[in-house]
């Protein structure tokens, strides 16, 4: 597989993933799709077996942690700074190789670090960041939160991440308890929006989903204990749902790549079981899904496409799963006008496959069919 930073390139008689029976001629100029036109059939048009190619937009992972090197942050603190930087660069490279061309880092990565990794290591991943996460240690009132938010704004982050409930480290009976008061939560969102920042909310469910809808956040993450009524309100408000399903199935396997303690894997198993129900509620209600993995270790970076398998297992169609990773994800970022589609004028982030990505059996087969990853124009 090759990675191409493309300014000018063209493809003849190529299929666009998800559009059956039609071939297209596509040209790229200055890192954007200059023309996308249906190929005119010719009498001598005949592809040799095995030479067909398919193109799809680059995948957008809305929830990843590219700065983290270990599941337990205490282990990362034992590494020297150069080792951490090299591992972060490897995470960028692995993420690109699997076809993810844009990532929203959900906490831990500073914009300055992202720029350094892109420029120094030549891994042109498009990254949006939330820098530091707001969690239990910040539930100290509005004045404290204002100071913390100003610090996050100063880093240049475009997103604010609220840890609204616990997670795998929280006892099951407490995992839906709010971390912040309703007043604190509402202030965070209001102040972030007043400073032109978007907000994503880590919540496993409960009242913080209701607060998220009321406050007008851009996306709710995880949400495995989402109720049917809450799904309806997410859909009505157009609040995006980024469920990050695959990480919980991975974490639930005590002998898997994460090899977590039994108490943690048991919590993950309960979360994974609940997720399929939440996905069903959200799909029936018409909630806008976004693709996110929550991957944060070297054993997971580069396997992002596994999230497609889990979304499909939980009830999305293949087309819906791909939409969550392309057009929907671009809209959630506020970039639906320039990312997530193979269309004229759009940034030419794309994946070239040697097999129809809509027909592959699983993520392993899909990953093996990637021929190249194209990176279009970057902002100066």
């Amino acid at each position: 597989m090759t990675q191409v930073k493309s300014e000018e390139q063209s493809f003849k008689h190529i299929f666009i993933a998800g559009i059956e029976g039609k071939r297209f001629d596509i040209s790229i100029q200055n890192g954007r799709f200059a023309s996308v036109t249906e190929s005119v059939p010719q009498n001598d048009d005949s592809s040799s077996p095995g030479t067909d190619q398919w193109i799809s937009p680059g995948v957008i992972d809305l929830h990843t942690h590219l700065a983290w090197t270990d599941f337990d942050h205490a282990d990362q603190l034992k590494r020297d700074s150069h080792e951490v930087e090299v591992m972060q660069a490897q995470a960028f490279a692995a993420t690109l190789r699997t076809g993810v061309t844009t990532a929203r880092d959900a906490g831990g990565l500073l914009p300055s670090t992202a720029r350094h990794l892109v420029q120094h290591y030549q891994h042109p991943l498009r990254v949006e960041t939330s820098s530091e996460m707001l969690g239990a240690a910040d539930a100290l009132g509005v004045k404290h939160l204002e100071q913390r938010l100003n610090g996050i704004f100063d880093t240049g982050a475009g997103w604010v991440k609220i840890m609204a409930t616990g997670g795998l480290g929280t006892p099951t009976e407490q995992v839906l308890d709010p971390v912040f008061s309703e007043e604190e939560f509402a202030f965070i969102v209001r102040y972030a929006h007043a400073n032109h920042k978007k907000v994503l909310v880590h919540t496993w469910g409960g009242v913080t989903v209701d607060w998220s809808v009321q406050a007008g956040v851009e996306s709710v993450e995880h949400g495995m204990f989402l109720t049917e009524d809450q799904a309806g309100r997410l859909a009505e408000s157009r609040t995006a749902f980024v469920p990050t399903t695959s990480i919980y199935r991975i974490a639930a396997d005590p002998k898997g790549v994460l090899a977590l303690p039994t108490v943690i894997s048991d919590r993950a198993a309960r979360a994974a079981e609940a997720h399929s129900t939440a996905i069903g509620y959200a799909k029936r209600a018409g909630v806008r899904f976004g693709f996110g993995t929550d991957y944060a270790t070297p054993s997971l970076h580069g396997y992002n496409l596994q999230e497609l398998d889990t979304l499909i297992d939980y009830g999305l169609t293949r087309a819906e799963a791909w939409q969550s990773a392309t057009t929907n994800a671009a809209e959630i970022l506020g970039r639906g006008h320039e990312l997530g589609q193979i269309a004229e004028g759009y940034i030419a982030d794309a994946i070239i496959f040697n097999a129809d990505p809509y027909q592959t059996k699983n993520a392993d087969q899909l990953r093996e069919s990637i021929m190249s990853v194209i990176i279009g124009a970057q902002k100066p």
Side-chain angles (χ1 to χ4, degrees), residues 20-81:
E20 294 185 15
K22 294 181 180 180
R23 295 175 185 267
F24 292 83
D25 296 334
I26 298 172
S27 67
I28 297 170
Q29 294 180 8
N30 298 320
R32 291 180 180 261
F33 294 113
S35 65
V36 180
T37 57
E38 187 175 349
S39 297
V40 177
Q42 301 291 332
N43 292 333
D44 58 351
D45 274 356
S46 59
S47 297
S48 302
T51 63
D52 285 337
Q53 295 181 354
W54 284 258
I55 187 171
S56 83
V59 168
I60 300 171
D61 189 338
L62 291 171
H63 193 124
T64 185
H65 295 278
L66 292 160
W68 295 359
T69 61
D70 300 86
F71 188 83
D72 186 339
H73 187 61
D75 292 330
Q76 178 163 324
L77 297 177
K78 299 172 185 175
R79 301 180 186 275
D80 66 56
S81 60

Side-chain angles (χ1 to χ4, degrees), residues 71 168 222 224 243-253 258 260 268 272 275 292-297 300 306-307 310:
F71 188 83
L168 286 175
H222 316 308
M224 62 284 289
T244 69
T245 53
S246 58
I247 187 63
Y248 294 97
R249 289 211 305 198
I250 294 167
D253 182 358
L258 294 179
L260 299 175
H275 242 148
T293 61
D294 207 8
Y295 289 177
T297 64
L300 296 175
Q306 292 175 133
E307 181 68 14
T310 315

Side-chain angles (χ1 to χ4, degrees), residues 200-250:
L200 67 152
V201 178
H202 162 115
T203 172
W204 277 34
V207 70
T208 55
V209 174
D210 303 322
W211 294 354
S212 296
V213 172
Q214 291 164 10
V217 308
E218 277 68 29
S219 67
V220 166
E221 319 287 301
H222 316 308
M224 62 284 289
F225 295 108
L226 183 75
T227 67
E228 188 170 14
D229 180 63
Q230 287 174 330
R233 280 181 275 127
L234 284 178
E236 184 178 356
S237 65
R238 294 294 289 162
T239 307
F241 180 29
V242 183
T244 69
T245 53
S246 58
I247 187 63
Y248 294 97
R249 289 211 305 198
I250 294 167

